[in-house]
Amino acid sequence: MNESLLTKEELISGTYGSAIENGAECFFTTVVTDSRNVRKNSMFVPLVGEFQNGHKYIPQAIESGASVVLLNQSELDENAAYYNELAKKYSNVLFVAVENTLHGLQDAAEKYVDKFTDLTKVSITGSSGKTTTKEMMVSVAKRHYGDEFVVHTQGNLNSETGLPLSVFNIRKNHKIGVFEMGMNRENEIGEISKVLKSQYGIITNIGTAHIGILGSKENIAREKRKSLDYIPSNGAAFVPANDEFADFCTENVKGKIVKFGEDNTDKGRWSIKLIKDEGLFGINFTINGVNVKLPIGGEYNYFDALAVVECAEELGISEEEIKAGLENFKSVSGRMETNQMLTKSGAEITVIKDCYNANPDSMDKLLSFVDKLDNGGRKLLVLADMKELGAKSKEAHEALGQKISEVKPDYTFLIGPEMKAAYEVIKNRPNVLWFEQNSEEVFNLVVKTINHAVKKNDIVVLKGSNSMKLEKVYEKICEKVCVMQEA
């Protein structure tokens, strides 16, 4: 790339900043917040956290090739001589002081996005299902526009820093951008919505993820609906018809409001009909008579697919292109990954790996899905703590215990201190084990027990918050229980 993402004038005006004048021009082709990821012609944005001040890594970033550096004005004021000397030493590096580097990153990203007036922008948020929905939407968009014309969130870069970093991947050839929005604090969605200003916005659901931070589902809905603040009159917002906050989320939307869901799919819009839920083997449905085989199971994944179908229709994407996109969609790593495996004793089993994250809603949905499965075998659950629930944690884990008792699994392994509340509800059931720590020793014991217990057609389910590291249990199952894995 031989053109800077932003000119000097654009960067300074966009961030409301001021340059340390050392004669440096503005040229950068990538943006990073981690000095370890700096390469030639990066703009380095040092962030200040509770335990870390990224400004101390500025020299390291420059040595690694940073050509532009943002810094807090307060940092410059306190250490003026140091930074003036640094700017003098590195006269080819542009130093721009801003009030707050996080907001400076967001402001720079907003300025950058605003340059792409012809780009169609789609935002996706929700308490659960947003990454899966994003990947479905991307797969469908690529069928219509072509791979090279679609830009999208990579991995889980959906936060106050992740979304701004993601949009710096937009290039002139792109026709559509599909971006995921997450949150961990109040007004995070509001800030990153201002960066993107999407024309089309999907809210998958309003659940209880982050309720420990925001206090209530209404507060969560109030945050999520900020993702729709910039929908123009010729855009559209997509919300689940059966969600109690659907109307609340769309109160001030200027564009078209589209509600998706099983009871809202044939009312003057495309005719969408559910044909058969095949459990582990996916879901069959039709769009205007065109049969679609969604490759992942679960009613909740089907509803997410309906959101994609409705959005795709608004974008002018055909039924055949939607079919091709959805059928070629690959489940996201760690999210409802379903693997058929062969144990060392020769028994075929199914392992469901859904351990990227967990909250009461996603846990309930997965267990409801598992409850309906009839593989001819037994069900073994390995469940770990749901995080970020605050004062609601004990109540939520007790409710999970009740849900487990309804599913009636043959083995239940509960891992983590929060899971004690679930254990107290079901401890009198057979084959229920609780472990306070998510240690290597515990994981080895769980896998050893599974290895002795598992039989033909059994289903093993792994679900927990990312920090509980249940992917290590999965790795140990692959290593110690099974001899091969089929995609």
Side-chain angles (χ1 to χ4, degrees):
M1 186 176 184
N2 55 13
E3 182 181 344
S4 181
L5 295 179
L6 290 171
T7 66
K8 188 172 183 178
E9 181 183 357
E10 288 170 339
L11 178 61
I12 290 173
S13 65
T15 59
Y16 311 98
S18 59
I20 300 178
E21 291 301 344
N22 62 351
E25 294 301 315
C26 179
F27 184 85
F28 65 99
T29 57
T30 185
V31 181
V32 298
T33 58
D34 187 333
S35 61
R36 294 168 296 184
N37 297 331
V38 170
R39 59 180 187 268
K40 186 179 179 181
N41 295 325
S42 293
M43 178 168 79
F44 175 56
V45 184
L47 301 175
V48 179
E50 186 177 355
F51 304 108
Q52 190 71 274
N53 184 345
H55 288 81
K56 71 179 182 180
Y57 299 108
I58 288 176
Q60 176 184 324
I62 294 172
E63 290 297 327
S64 297
S67 54
V68 179
V69 174
L70 294 191
L71 67 153
N72 282 338
Q73 183 65 51
S74 60
E75 184 80 16
L76 176 59
D77 292 341
E78 291 175 16
N79 305 281
Y82 170 74
Y83 284 106
N84 285 322
E85 186 63 30
L86 206 61
K88 184 178 178 180
K89 178 180 179 181
Y90 298 102
S91 58
N92 61 330
V93 176
L94 176 64
F95 294 81
V96 177
V98 296
E99 183 178 349
N100 177 289
T101 50
L102 170 60
H103 295 154
L105 170 66
Q106 295 172 348
D107 292 338
E110 179 184 359
K111 189 76 172 181
Y112 183 69
V113 174
D114 286 348
K115 296 171 67 171
F116 298 89
T117 55
D118 294 330
L119 181 73
T120 298
K121 296 170 291 186
V122 179
S123 66
I124 299 172
T125 192
S127 294
S128 59
K130 52 186 175 289
T131 302
T132 298
T133 305
K134 180 256 298 182
E135 292 297 331
M136 288 183 191
M137 189 71 233
V138 168
S139 185
V140 169
K142 285 182 175 180
R143 288 288 165 170
H144 180 72
Y145 296 94
D147 288 16
E148 69 272 28
F149 299 111
V150 181
V151 60
H152 57 91
T153 303
Q154 298 291 332
N156 65 335
L157 286 176
N158 62 12
S159 64
E160 60 187 4
T161 57
L163 186 281
L165 292 175
S166 291
V167 301
F168 276 115
N169 291 319
I170 298 170
R171 297 294 181 264
K172 290 178 180 178
N173 63 294
H174 291 134
K175 296 181 179 179
I176 184 171
V178 183
F179 295 99
E180 182 182 334
M181 293 183 179
M183 70 172 185
N184 284 294
R185 61 170 174 82
E186 187 176 350
N187 201 40
E188 187 169 0
I189 293 281
E191 290 174 10
I192 58 180
S193 293
K194 183 174 180 289
V195 171
L196 185 63
K197 299 185 183 72
S198 59
Q199 297 147 280
Y200 301 89
I202 295 172
I203 295 179
T204 59
N205 52 57
I206 301 298
T208 53
H210 309 306
I211 199 166
I213 299 169
L214 296 172
S216 70
K217 286 184 72 172
E218 183 173 341
N219 287 341
I220 292 169
R222 186 171 285 107
E223 290 300 314
K224 294 294 186 184
R225 75 176 183 174
K226 291 177 183 177
S227 66
L228 310 178
D229 281 352
Y230 297 90
I231 302 293
S233 58
N234 62 344
F238 307 87
V239 294
N242 63 349
D243 196 292
E244 62 180 314
F245 290 99
D247 292 332
F248 177 77
C249 285
T250 54
E251 275 180 359
N252 301 311
V253 171
K254 297 183 180 70
K256 182 186 292 187
I257 296 169
V258 179
K259 295 180 179 179
F260 60 87
E262 192 171 31
D263 299 327
N264 221 68
T265 53
D266 192 9
K267 296 181 179 178
R269 300 179 62 77
W270 285 9
S271 173
I272 304 171
K273 297 187 183 301
L274 175 65
I275 304 302
K276 186 179 181 182
D277 184 342
E278 296 185 352
L280 290 171
F281 304 101
I283 295 176
N284 282 305
F285 67 102
T286 61
I287 310 170
N288 288 347
V290 175
N291 188 74
V292 179
K293 175 64 178 292
L294 190 67
I296 56 173
E299 183 182 56
Y300 53 101
N301 287 318
Y302 171 57
F303 281 2
D304 291 341
L306 294 184
V308 171
V309 171
E310 296 285 7
C311 185
E313 182 198 358
E314 291 295 328
L315 294 171
I317 300 176
S318 71
E319 301 97 313
E320 291 294 344
E321 290 168 325
I322 296 171
K323 169 185 170 68
L326 290 178
E327 290 187 343
N328 284 278
F329 154 79
K330 304 294 184 185
S331 61
V332 185
S333 177
R335 290 176 170 92
M336 198 58 188
E337 279 187 79
T338 303
N339 299 282
Q340 306 295 321
M341 297 184 176
L342 191 67
T343 68
K344 292 179 178 180
S345 63
E348 287 189 1
I349 66 168
T350 300
V351 180
I352 299 176
K353 177 188 174 190
D354 195 345
C355 48
Y356 182 82
N357 217 337
N359 58 61
D361 301 292
S362 63
M363 192 74 85
D364 184 82
K365 288 174 180 176
L366 178 61
L367 292 186
S368 293
F369 170 69
V370 171
D371 190 32
K372 294 176 183 177
L373 295 177
D374 185 11
N375 248 35
R378 301 165 307 156
K379 296 165 185 176
L380 297 83
L381 305 182
V382 183
L383 308 178
D385 284 355
M386 301 178 287
K387 298 297 188 181
E388 298 181 343
L389 298 178
K392 305 278 188 181
S393 183
K394 186 172 186 292
E395 176 186 343
H397 285 85
E398 286 174 343
L400 173 60
Q402 183 57 44
K403 182 70 177 182
I404 294 170
S405 68
E406 295 169 8
V407 175
K408 298 182 177 65
D410 298 276
Y411 284 82
T412 306
F413 304 90
L414 302 174
I415 301 174
E418 304 297 325
M419 277 292 174
K420 186 177 182 182
Y423 174 72
E424 291 297 332
V425 176
I426 61 169
K427 62 184 179 182
N428 292 325
R429 284 189 49 79
N431 301 320
V432 175
L433 296 171
W434 169 66
F435 306 92
E436 187 169 9
Q437 303 298 323
N438 62 325
S439 64
E440 197 80 8
E441 181 182 3
V442 166
F443 291 161
N444 285 332
L445 181 56
V446 168
V447 172
K448 183 178 180 180
T449 306
I450 289 173
N451 192 26
H452 284 110
V454 76
K455 297 179 181 179
K456 182 179 179 182
N457 295 328
D458 283 357
I459 299 171
V460 180
V461 180
L462 309 176
K463 178 73 172 173
S465 285
N466 189 37
S467 61
M468 296 304 293
K469 303 186 183 304
L470 283 191
E471 72 276 3
K472 291 187 176 181
V473 176
Y474 177 78
E475 291 167 4
K476 290 177 183 294
I477 288 174
C478 294
E479 175 189 348
K480 299 181 179 181
V481 180
C482 299
V483 292
M484 73 165 203
Q485 178 176 322
E486 300 173 1

